[in-house]
Amino acid sequence: MKTDPHFDKENLQELLRSYENLRLGKSSAFIEEEAFEQIIDYFDDREEMGKALEAATIAMEHFPFCATLMFKKADLLLATRKYRQALEILEKAELLDANDINLYILKTDAYLALDQQEKAVALLEAAIGLFEGEEKVELLFELADVYDDYEEFEKVFDCLKMILEEDPTNEEALYKICFWTDFTGRNEESIRLHMRIIDEQPYSELAWFNLATAYQGLKLYEKAIDAYEYALVIDEKFDYAYRNMGDAYIRLRKYKEAIDALEKVLELSKPEEVIYEAIGHCYDRLKNYGQARIHYRKAAHMNPEDSKLFYKIACTYYNEGEYNSAIKQLDVSLRIQRNQQEANLLMGECKLQLGMYKEALLYFSYVVKLRPKRAAGWEALIRCLYEGEYYDEARQQISAALEATDGKPVFYYYLSAVLLAERKPKEALLCLEKALVAAPRLFKKMLALNPALLQNSQVAEMVARHKRKRSGKSGQ
């Protein structure tokens, strides 16, 4: 509550002197209702709650049937955590003026403070029918806050929807319903609501934006982009529209368009790590590794503790065959966070590419230790052992991998390749047969291990036979 800015200091001081004399019994001067309100507000603004309450009590002695003074005293009692006393006064005030919105807001606050959510909800739901326009909207916001506090999130959405049906231009509701649409997943409902709003208010950029985010929530990215475009025609500096549009373009794998949208975000708002990282990702996908690195570095400069950014920089170097440069970035990444599966795997791959088998094995073994049930670490470890010609150790690790991963077929392909390298063709072909029956498409993994294996006539014949069997079955 604020004092009247038009009530000058001189008059206020005179009023306070009169009140002080009245309080001390030195004067029987008459003070009007509005003057008492100003005195109460004066002490309230100065956070002198005791004096404000005393003034409210004296005021009510002089004007026992003034609901406004009762509301002021109840508000002060709530502020000083005297919730039951506040309710008692509000019950009296209701007999005098049941049509004042403050009655319902203050009673709601009291019920919530006493952890009586059901009473607060029932009160507000009944009150909403008594009011129209701005007051109805205010009560709906109150009810939405109650539902939010007690985690009835679907009903929060319902309240915001009712507000927008009452007042389609309400900015607070338009901002909030965007979040709650995403949170509750009620995208179809949001689309219908915002299309009705746009029919009435075609130049509401927030309505277009919310329509776009609802489409995006349904993965209708093309429609989302169209709606964002309308929002940007209305407000060309709407940075969040550019941000979300960038994400939609990324989902559609339209990386050049995504970069254009995200660069507009950087022009219109304070630079953010997440935007630089997203632009870096787009350049990465376009295989423009130099530009990807530049943007990942900008993101890393803003957040030097994010290990994944240094990992992403390392990936760009790896893709260019710059393994030593990649290793330097991975060293930084792993110093920040040692237990990263992806970074340890990539470090192992870099070492492997440089022929540093033993060092590579250390990293791949660590990945296996981190995630023993995931195949990626085992595959890398076994590939490294195969390329380093550690066949005996490779067989032992394949056996461990089959046990840890519940017999994934890829490891039978690897075992077949190892047995062929050890010149054990019969055992190798039995393993290959088993693998081809279980997962014929994974033969490419064996071929990636050693493309020359297809030159082995027995292997080529077995693969061809299985292809014929499969094509025969599909033709039936």
Side-chain angles (χ1 to χ4, degrees):
M1 289 179 286
K2 299 296 178 185
T3 52
D4 184 350
H6 301 295
F7 192 75
D8 63 69
K9 289 183 180 179
E10 190 176 322
N11 286 340
L12 178 60
Q13 291 305 316
E14 179 63 32
L15 180 58
L16 289 170
R17 278 193 294 272
S18 298
Y19 165 72
E20 187 64 16
N21 289 332
L22 180 67
R23 187 180 74 85
L24 297 172
K26 293 180 180 179
S27 166
S28 58
F30 179 75
I31 299 176
E32 294 180 347
E33 287 180 34
E34 287 186 8
F36 268 121
E37 289 176 35
Q38 288 162 348
I39 293 164
I40 296 164
D41 288 348
Y42 170 78
F43 289 125
D44 189 8
D45 290 345
R46 291 166 64 89
E47 297 185 3
E48 296 180 49
M49 293 301 181
K51 289 183 178 181
L53 267 170
E54 185 182 17
T57 301
I58 293 169
M60 285 176 60
E61 288 171 0
H62 286 76
F63 298 98
F65 302 109
C66 177
T68 302
L69 290 172
M70 291 182 181
F71 294 142
K72 282 193 176 292
K73 185 170 181 180
D75 191 22
L76 292 165
L77 287 168
L78 289 171
T80 52
R81 301 184 181 181
K82 296 172 183 175
Y83 308 121
R84 295 194 186 280
Q85 289 180 46
L87 274 176
E88 287 173 14
I89 289 177
L90 290 169
E91 295 294 340
K92 294 175 185 176
E94 189 169 4
L95 298 172
L96 298 168
D97 188 355
N99 296 318
D100 191 315
I101 191 172
N102 291 303
L103 170 71
Y104 301 97
I105 291 172
L106 292 170
K107 282 187 84 172
T108 297
D109 290 343
Y111 285 138
L112 292 177
L114 293 167
D115 200 25
Q116 297 177 0
Q117 183 219 0
E118 295 80 5
K119 286 187 178 180
V121 169
L123 175 71
L124 288 171
E125 286 179 341
I128 285 164
L130 303 175
F131 294 92
E132 296 296 331
E134 289 181 14
E135 291 180 325
K136 181 176 183 179
V137 165
E138 188 175 349
L139 289 172
L140 282 165
F141 273 123
E142 285 284 327
L143 184 56
D145 287 342
V146 174
Y147 285 136
D148 187 5
D149 287 343
Y150 289 87
E151 299 186 0
E152 295 187 40
F153 302 130
E154 296 288 340
K155 291 183 179 179
V156 177
F157 180 95
D158 292 336
C159 287
L160 295 170
K161 183 180 174 186
M162 287 172 70
I163 290 167
L164 288 169
E165 286 169 347
E166 183 77 18
D167 178 9
T169 63
N170 190 292
E171 285 196 8
E172 185 180 353
L174 285 166
Y175 278 115
K176 285 184 174 181
I177 203 166
C178 183
F179 169 81
W180 287 107
T181 298
D182 181 56
F183 192 89
T184 59
R186 290 167 71 173
N187 292 295
E188 294 93 340
E189 228 173 312
S190 183
I191 288 167
R192 290 192 294 272
L193 171 66
H194 286 95
M195 288 183 101
R196 287 198 300 272
I197 292 171
I198 287 164
D199 283 343
E200 292 180 34
Q201 305 288 334
Y203 297 104
S204 170
E205 70 274 20
L206 288 175
W208 281 109
F209 178 83
N210 289 353
L211 178 64
T213 59
Y215 279 133
Q216 202 156 353
L218 294 173
K219 300 183 180 180
L220 299 171
Y221 300 117
E222 296 282 7
K223 286 189 173 183
I225 288 166
D226 287 344
Y228 287 130
E229 291 282 8
Y230 279 108
L232 288 164
V233 167
I234 299 163
D235 180 1
E236 61 184 13
K237 294 185 178 180
F238 198 163
D239 60 318
Y240 274 92
Y242 282 115
R243 180 189 297 256
N244 285 12
M245 188 189 294
D247 178 72
Y249 276 127
I250 289 171
R251 305 284 181 179
L252 292 169
R253 299 181 183 177
K254 294 183 176 182
Y255 300 113
K256 290 179 182 177
E257 292 86 345
I259 290 168
D260 290 341
L262 294 169
E263 283 180 342
K264 289 294 290 186
V265 179
L266 293 176
E267 286 177 28
L268 295 168
S269 60
K270 186 179 177 182
E272 290 179 61
E273 166 204 343
V274 67
I275 302 300
Y276 283 126
E277 184 179 355
I279 294 173
H281 170 78
C282 292
Y283 278 118
D284 220 337
R285 292 289 179 164
L286 292 169
K287 298 186 178 179
N288 186 338
Y289 300 120
Q291 279 295 324
R293 253 194 313 278
I294 287 169
H295 287 85
Y296 287 147
R297 284 191 196 281
K298 286 181 179 179
H301 181 71
M302 297 185 79
N303 186 5
E305 296 303 311
D306 188 343
S307 59
K308 288 187 178 178
L309 291 169
F310 294 98
Y311 164 73
K312 289 181 177 184
I313 294 169
C315 286
T316 66
Y317 280 123
Y318 182 86
N319 289 330
E320 290 177 330
E322 298 287 341
Y323 305 119
N324 284 313
S325 295
I327 286 169
K328 288 177 184 176
Q329 298 300 317
L330 290 167
D331 278 331
V332 177
S333 181
L334 291 169
R335 275 200 301 272
I336 298 168
Q337 177 58 50
R338 180 73 182 94
N339 297 337
Q340 297 177 74
Q341 179 182 350
E342 295 85 356
N344 279 286
L345 269 175
L346 188 61
M347 182 70 93
E349 296 291 354
C350 289
K351 299 287 185 181
L352 183 58
Q353 292 293 338
L354 295 169
M356 302 162 73
Y357 296 108
K358 290 185 178 178
E359 288 187 40
L361 287 169
L362 289 174
Y363 285 98
F364 293 143
S365 297
Y366 189 67
V367 173
V368 166
K369 184 180 176 183
L370 286 174
R371 301 283 189 274
K373 293 188 178 297
R374 294 187 66 177
W378 289 107
E379 287 188 47
L381 178 63
I382 293 160
R383 278 193 295 103
C384 187
L385 289 166
Y386 181 86
E387 289 188 32
E389 299 183 2
Y390 303 112
Y391 299 129
D392 187 56
E393 179 66 18
R395 272 188 288 103
Q396 291 179 44
Q397 295 301 331
I398 289 168
S399 177
L402 285 165
E403 186 175 346
T405 65
D406 295 325
K408 283 194 179 293
V410 65
F411 298 114
Y412 288 109
Y413 282 114
Y414 282 180
L415 181 56
S416 178
V418 170
L419 290 167
L420 285 168
E422 291 183 313
R423 293 187 172 82
K424 297 177 180 177
K426 287 183 181 178
E427 294 174 60
L429 291 170
L430 285 171
C431 280
L432 179 58
E433 179 84 29
K434 190 171 186 176
L436 286 166
V437 169
R441 291 181 180 177
L442 290 181
F443 175 68
K444 62 186 176 185
K445 294 262 190 178
M446 183 176 175
L447 211 54
L449 198 63
N450 184 357
L453 289 173
L454 206 52
Q455 295 173 12
N456 182 306
S457 59
Q458 290 176 299
V459 170
E461 185 182 333
M462 182 174 285
V463 171
R465 187 168 68 250
H466 273 271
K467 277 186 180 177
R468 286 196 296 273
K469 279 184 184 178
R470 290 204 311 277
S471 61
K473 284 181 182 178
S474 62
Q476 288 175 0

